Structure formats: C-alpha cells, structure tokens
Amino acid sequence: MQELQKKTVYIQNPATVEEKIRQIVADGPDKLQVIADFDRTLTRFECNGRTILTSHGILCHSTLLPASFREAARKLKDRYFPLETSNDISAEERYKYMVEWWSGTNSLLVDCRVYRGDIKRMVADSGVMLREGVSQTFRRCHDAGVPFLIFSGGMGDILTEVIHQFAQLLPNMHVVSNFMVFDKEEKLIGFKGDIIHTCNKHEVARHHPDYFANNKSRTNVILLGDMLGDLRMAEGFPGAKNILTVGYLNDNIEASLESYMANFDIVLVSDETFDVVNALLQKIH
C-alpha cells in the first residue's frame, strides 16, 4: 500500500501488519467493524499551529458559559490532566482521579444553565475540525455495510453536533459517550448512565450490550485511537480474532513513539489525515 510508505507512518512489525490486512481484505466487509475514539482521532489535533479543541474543550472555552465556569474548569484540568498522563500512579488511582475530574466538570456544567440550543453555536464557534478524509471513511463504511462504533470519554452531544456540522451521522454509526439529560425547558440537568472516561474504555460492552451482541459475527476490527487506553476499546468483542490497531501520535512524539510502536500496529505521527484508513477500506469489497 502506497499510503503505508508515507513519512508519517511507523510500523514495528510489518509482517504482522501485512497478515492482518490480508485477512481483513480476504474476509470482506461482512466480517469487519470499525471502532474509533473521537477527540484527536476523528478530529484534528492542530491546524496551522492552532491546537484544536476537544469536545470537553469546546464547552470549557465557550463564551456562552460564564467566566467563572471557564476558570473553575481550567483549575480542574490543571489538577487532573497531569494525573491522566502520569506514569507514577497506579491504574486504580488514575481511574479514581478521572471519575473525580469528569464528575467535577459535569457538576459545574449543570450549575451553568446550559440549554440544548447552545450546543450548535458552541460547536460552530469553536474552530473544531475533523481530520481530512473522515467523512469519506464514514461514507465508505456505510456503503459497505460496515458498523462504525465511536467510543468517547468526551461529550456525546458535542461530538454528534460536530459530525452533523462537518460530515453526516449515518445509520451504520453508533456513539457511546457521555450524553446530557435536559428537562422540559431544554435545560441541562444531568448526564445519562455511568461516566465514560479515558481509563474505562474496556467497559464498553457493559454500556451497550445489544450493539456487541448484534455484531458478534464481525471478527475483524479496525481500531482507531490516539491514546494507549484506546486499545482497550475492543475488549467488549471476545470473538474478535483479528484486530488491526491504528494509533495517532499527536504530541510528545520523541518520548512516546517507542511505546506507541510497541502497542499499535500502525502509528501515524503528526498525520492530520485519514489517508491510511481510507486506503485500507478501499481494498475491501
């Protein structure tokens, strides 16, 4: 594949990748499903030197919300973001801290009198961008009948609005994320279900068991993420036999490249496109 020869592509075990791709192509679309993270996987990390906001970031930077919220949300990020990426704490501690962070931000949002109608403008004003080629990926999967699961610890209402504004949410697509609950006046009053965050993506099957039951015959998976924790998204598919993992390495490249190459089959470094993914899908008829 020509796209795998790009300078942004790093592969530690080419023979393993070649065999996985060969199997996916041979089995065709009826055996395939795609699982993707959203923030900084489907969306760009940066554009012309400007860092693109995540779905949480869109809320936390919106001028539709009071300055007091933005300041409180910034303090939470300053406290918990280093813990999210720290190698000096246990997985159990990180899990606890992420629940505290997400819960704290959610409580602040509920206090801000956010309305459903605000979300569309927040996204439009944010400067968020999908990676180049993502809309083609969505369409290719839909046309081939390939299920596309988006599993995100971000804000589900924000990310679906991003897709509506910059692509199309198609019938084969399913979103697992943190969705808001609104009252009869369309004001935010809470969030649905358990909090989904960066450290519990292995619990995806518990959140949506019907989706996994309906797709258990699809034993080939293309998994897309930008963090090592995203690799656990496929754990809800015990029948998956062939998982091709593609990791977007967006920053801290020198420090992280070795670990990304050791864990992802294909690592895309500072690549703001979906060229590799679309090239893979184009081979599957």
Side-chain angles (χ1 to χ4, degrees):
M1 286 176 53
Q2 181 179 355
E3 289 76 11
L4 292 181
Q5 309 309 313
K6 292 171 62 178
K7 292 181 179 180
T8 57
V9 177
Y10 290 75
I11 300 174
Q12 183 161 289
N13 297 300
T16 299
V17 170
E18 182 178 352
E19 175 56 27
K20 288 185 177 184
I21 293 174
R22 186 200 66 77
Q23 189 64 56
I24 289 171
V25 172
D27 289 345
D30 292 344
K31 290 291 184 181
L32 178 64
Q33 59 186 300
V34 178
I35 307 174
D37 171 55
F38 183 77
D39 289 312
R40 296 176 175 170
T41 297
L42 295 180
T43 61
R44 294 184 64 146
F45 175 70
E46 68 174 16
C47 180
N48 297 326
R50 174 177 63 89
T51 301
I52 301 299
L53 295 173
T54 64
S55 56
H56 269 108
I58 290 171
L59 279 166
C60 293
H61 288 79
S62 175
T63 55
L64 294 181
L65 298 177
S68 58
F69 165 79
R70 298 196 297 274
E71 176 63 17
R74 182 191 62 77
K75 288 181 178 179
L76 285 174
K77 182 178 180 180
D78 289 347
R79 167 169 167 72
Y80 288 107
F81 181 72
L83 297 171
E84 180 183 24
T85 56
S86 173
N87 293 321
D88 299 325
I89 61 175
S90 67
E92 291 76 15
E93 288 178 296
R94 184 178 292 107
Y95 190 110
K96 177 177 70 75
Y97 288 134
M98 293 307 98
V99 171
E100 289 178 1
W101 184 8
W102 263 248
S103 298
T105 302
N106 290 352
S107 295
L108 290 172
L109 282 168
V110 170
D111 292 338
C112 282
R113 298 183 64 84
V114 177
Y115 287 86
R116 191 192 300 272
D118 296 333
I119 293 173
K120 189 171 186 177
R121 182 177 163 191
M122 287 179 180
V123 170
D125 292 346
S126 69
V128 67
M129 303 170 69
L130 294 175
R131 290 189 193 270
E132 182 181 342
V134 165
S135 58
Q136 292 95 318
T137 299
F138 291 165
R139 178 56 62 182
R140 285 183 189 278
C141 288
H142 173 268
D143 292 348
V146 173
F148 197 110
L149 173 65
I150 298 172
F151 188 54
S152 172
M155 294 291 185
D157 302 82
I158 295 288
L159 73 86
T160 53
E161 182 60 32
V162 171
I163 294 172
H164 285 308
Q165 290 193 21
F166 298 101
Q168 188 177 2
L169 193 63
L170 299 165
N172 66 310
M173 298 169 67
H174 187 78
V175 179
V176 177
S177 189
N178 298 297
F179 280 93
M180 299 174 176
V181 177
F182 298 91
D183 65 15
K184 62 182 180 180
E185 296 178 347
E186 300 286 83
K187 180 170 67 72
L188 175 66
I189 57 173
F191 288 82
K192 298 177 182 177
D194 297 333
I195 293 174
I196 300 170
H197 51 80
T198 54
C199 298
N200 68 348
K201 289 195 169 183
H202 59 291
E203 299 175 358
V204 60
R206 181 168 62 83
H207 294 283
H208 288 251
D210 291 346
Y211 177 87
F212 294 90
N214 292 337
N215 293 291
K216 62 183 179 181
S217 65
R218 294 180 177 272
T219 53
N220 292 328
V221 176
I222 296 176
L223 185 149
L224 313 170
D226 73 306
M227 299 182 69
L228 295 178
D230 293 331
L231 290 163
R232 306 194 69 183
M233 292 189 295
E235 291 185 16
F237 293 92
K241 298 177 181 177
N242 186 32
I243 302 174
L244 179 70
T245 58
V246 180
Y248 280 89
L249 179 52
N250 298 309
D251 59 353
N252 297 321
I253 292 167
E254 186 174 342
S256 303
L257 182 57
E258 183 177 352
S259 63
Y260 271 61
M261 290 184 66
N263 288 280
F264 286 99
D265 294 315
I266 301 171
V267 179
L268 304 178
V269 175
S270 300
D271 187 338
E272 299 291 353
T273 77
F274 254 48
D275 290 349
V276 168
V277 179
N278 281 321
L280 285 168
L281 293 172
Q282 192 171 15
K283 288 184 171 292
I284 303 167
H285 303 290

